[in-house]
Amino acid sequence: MTERRQIRELPDELISQIAAGEVVERPASVVRELVDNALDAGARQIVLRLLAGGVRLIAVEDDGIGIPVADLPLALKRHATSKIGNLQELESVATMGFRGEALAAINSVSDMAIASRTAEQPHAMLLDGRTGEMKPIARAVGTTVEVKELFFSTPARRKFLKTDATELAHCIEAVRRHALARPDVGFAIWHEGKLVEQWRAATDGDDGGMDQRLADVLGEEFCERSVRVDWCSSAQSEGGGPLIRVRGRAGIPDAARARGDHQFAYVNGRFVRDKVLAHGARSAYEDVLHGQRQPVYALYVDMDPTRVDVNVHPTKIEVRFRDSREVHQAVRRAVDQALAAPRAALAQPAPQAPLPGVAAPAPVPMPAWRQPAMAFAEPVAAPAAGFTPWSPAPVPAVAEPMPRWQEAADSAVATLPEPPPAALARAEAPVPQPRATPAPDEAPAWPLGRALAQLQGIYILAENQQGLVVVDMHAAHERIVYERLKAQADDAAMASQPLLIPATFAATPTELAAAEAHADTLAQLGLDVAPFSARTLAVRAVPASLAQGDAVALARSVLAELAQHEASGVVERARNELLATMACHGAVRANRRLTLEEMNGLLRQMEATERSDQCNHGRPTWRQISVRELDQLFLRGR
Ligand SMILES: Nc1ncnc2c1ncn2[C@@H]1O[C@H](COP(=O)(O)OP(=O)(O)O)[C@@H](O)[C@H]1O
Ligand SMILES: [Mg+2]
């Protein structure tokens, strides 16, 4: 029989050790907590010293405000904190810490000492965490926390630790997460007496040093292969600022990785692992990144602290949003907007003088990271317009008046000869004169340059200021048609064009069923596909912008797609997939001879089309081969 034991209150030490199980998993957890504390104390410079991957020693030294002598013993007490005093403060907490648990927990599973000095004190005091003894020592204003022999008293925990190298890597990762949120603070990490990482404080630029810090921590390549994100919700918070602001950088689809190890998301300066944020970001890549590839990004969400609960998880790595849909949409829109603009324009060398009619974007003031509450009160410039890829200004000077580039693009594409006529033609497009190809000495300022030739019936070769541009013409055109179809479908039901003679075809039972079940969806897509006989379907109308394609092939692909997405709710969500299928039918096929005008028309359309850097399947549509790369190929200038 089980022997009944008396109910007793656990001793404090044991309570702390139990709590430590939640907070302190490995040396990196200690690093995270100590750096949190240093940042909360207003440190500008934080130095870490580690021995044996942090197992033998973790020392974190800061130049923050310090701990007054009288408070020093309290710092090690459970639930003792200087950061909140009541429930209301908990609800709008703006510091990293607030639970008052970390130091007590760490102290219960290690050999700990704190040296600290405030500006008012003539010298520092050293507190021995074991004995509680204090003695004066020499130290500048700030705090050093030393944690020795982690888990020495709990050998079972110590056995779970990995090699020193692995623990060190986790410690560095913990600091990286902090460093990415606080470019204004300098960090240095020493291991076994060697400097292993150092990130200098950076506050320059219109972004408060963020790009510099991202480049320092994640590498230059991260910045080169990502685009700036800066988005504000139009809804206002009670304080008058935007409800949500999303900033940072989002990797271009090309920079995606097999693993999601370069995904950093922050809420009010706190690193979080959050499904809402991750899903919002990933869904912005839906249309440009297919398959299992993981995008890279560093995203900073600033929002009213009362709209997010950070007291969900002992390590505060999880949060709960008051309205998670609102946050999901904000992140999705922010990233989507950043990715949409065609990037050829961004790669252009900066023009000498501002182009007429092109206003330089106003610098967006960067609120202090560590004071999200204040950041909210600050006025924030209007978010950059969603789509300003290349304004009409940079048309090269030519003798004869030239149509604006958009018209030029339309006109050239509209004149593509048959066959296959397909959807290069826009039904509503005017039929103007194709303009002459600019002479070489005009040095066209178009991002994707001037078409030179077609290669193997697949690629368009063009020349721009950087060198050679190679375009996959089907992939590029497919995206253009797709984006156009999406825009049309967004406006209303798509304009439909009846066929003079309905096109009939022998249909499978699946096709017959799909045509019947999804007549409404088909109508919305501009398709009229109706039973003609027991085993025959007739295509009576097709979307106007695809009027010249193969109606039967188009109808069959769409029916096949519909059959896959049975339930109507799913069909609604699959709209973009349906449009993508249609776009493929509308896009120019390989081996189709294009004239230079047509090629130039396609290039101009690419420059004006959102997401045109990737085809509908997430592959790149064009590549730049710079003159320098060509020179290297030919060993020139060596
Ligand atoms: N580096 C530091 N500089 C100044 N004060 C510190 C530092 N580290 C800890 N403290 C003080 O010790 C208290 C307890 O720290 P901690 O156990 O991490 O709890 P919390 O951070 O949740 O308040 C803090 O509230 C703070 O007042
Ligand atoms: Mg803390």
Side-chain angles (χ1 to χ4, degrees), residues 33 36-37 83 97 102:
E33 294 294 339
D36 267 357
N37 284 345
K83 298 169 193 174

Side-chain angles (χ1 to χ4, degrees), residues 92-144:
S92 59
V93 66
T95 48
M96 307 296 278
F98 53 82
R99 300 167 72 104
E101 280 183 337
L103 292 187
I106 296 166
N107 188 41
S108 74
V109 291
S110 71
D111 194 351
M112 187 178 199
I114 308 179
S116 192
R117 175 179 164 191
T118 63
E120 293 75 39
Q121 283 168 224
H123 54 74
M125 286 301 262
L126 176 71
L127 169 70
D128 182 320
R130 280 296 90 210
T131 61
E133 275 169 27
M134 293 217 276
K135 62 175 182 210
I137 54 155
R139 198 207 179 284
V141 172
T143 304
T144 303

Side-chain angles (χ1 to χ4, degrees), residues 44-45 182-188 195 198-203 209 212-213 216:
R44 312 304 300 178
Q45 183 66 38
R182 293 296 303 274
D184 57 319
V185 177
F187 293 86
L195 185 65
Q198 184 171 31
W199 302 303
R200 288 177 206 289
T203 50
Q212 184 61 50
R213 179 51 62 85
D216 289 348

Side-chain angles (χ1 to χ4, degrees), residues 527-599:
L527 272 164
D528 179 353
V529 186
F532 187 71
S533 73
R535 295 209 194 111
T536 321
L537 283 172
V539 189
R540 295 217 183 86
V542 294
S545 56
L546 302 177
Q548 295 166 71
D550 179 340
V552 170
L554 174 67
R556 297 193 85 157
S557 309
V558 172
L559 289 173
E561 192 93 25
L562 280 170
Q564 270 181 30
H565 306 288
E566 267 312 315
S568 61
V570 182
V571 170
E572 183 46 44
R573 259 181 282 143
R575 189 201 73 160
N576 281 2
E577 284 168 46
L578 288 165
L579 295 178
T581 300
M582 292 164 69
C584 184
H585 280 273
V588 61
R589 303 274 146 191
N591 292 324
R592 163 85 185 290
R593 286 273 143 227
L594 299 186
T595 66
L596 280 178
E597 276 74 25
E598 289 170 337
M599 293 184 222

Side-chain angles (χ1 to χ4, degrees), residues 259-308:
R259 293 193 304 134
D261 56 345
H262 268 45
Q263 300 179 341
F264 298 89
Y266 294 82
V267 175
N268 292 342
R270 189 189 302 280
F271 177 87
V272 294
R273 284 235 172 277
D274 181 77
K275 285 206 178 74
V276 173
L277 298 180
H279 191 271
R282 185 66 181 86
S283 63
Y285 282 88
E286 223 163 56
D287 227 9
V288 288
L289 187 66
H290 289 240
Q292 301 302 308
R293 307 282 294 164
Q294 293 287 340
V296 306
Y297 52 75
L299 295 174
Y300 305 91
V301 178
D302 283 323
M303 58 191 299
D304 185 336
T306 61
R307 298 183 72 80
V308 50

Side-chain angles (χ1 to χ4, degrees), residues 336-346 355 357-362 383-394 405 447 606-611:
D336 185 66
Q337 183 188 69
L339 292 173
R343 283 178 288 282
L346 304 176
L355 294 160
V358 183
F387 178 47
T388 50
W390 197 256
S391 81
W405 54 266
M606 287 173 69
E607 286 156 5
T609 300
E610 297 194 338
R611 287 171 282 276

Side-chain angles (χ1 to χ4, degrees), residues 283-335:
S283 63
Y285 282 88
E286 223 163 56
D287 227 9
V288 288
L289 187 66
H290 289 240
Q292 301 302 308
R293 307 282 294 164
Q294 293 287 340
V296 306
Y297 52 75
L299 295 174
Y300 305 91
V301 178
D302 283 323
M303 58 191 299
D304 185 336
T306 61
R307 298 183 72 80
V308 50
D309 185 358
V310 289
N311 187 24
V312 177
H313 193 267
T315 67
K316 293 161 268 167
I317 197 164
E318 286 170 21
V319 290
R320 199 180 292 130
F321 298 110
R322 208 203 281 178
D323 183 346
S324 51
R325 250 196 55 198
E326 158 192 285
V327 178
H328 185 274
Q329 277 183 5
V331 172
R332 186 195 163 108
R333 293 215 178 111
V335 177

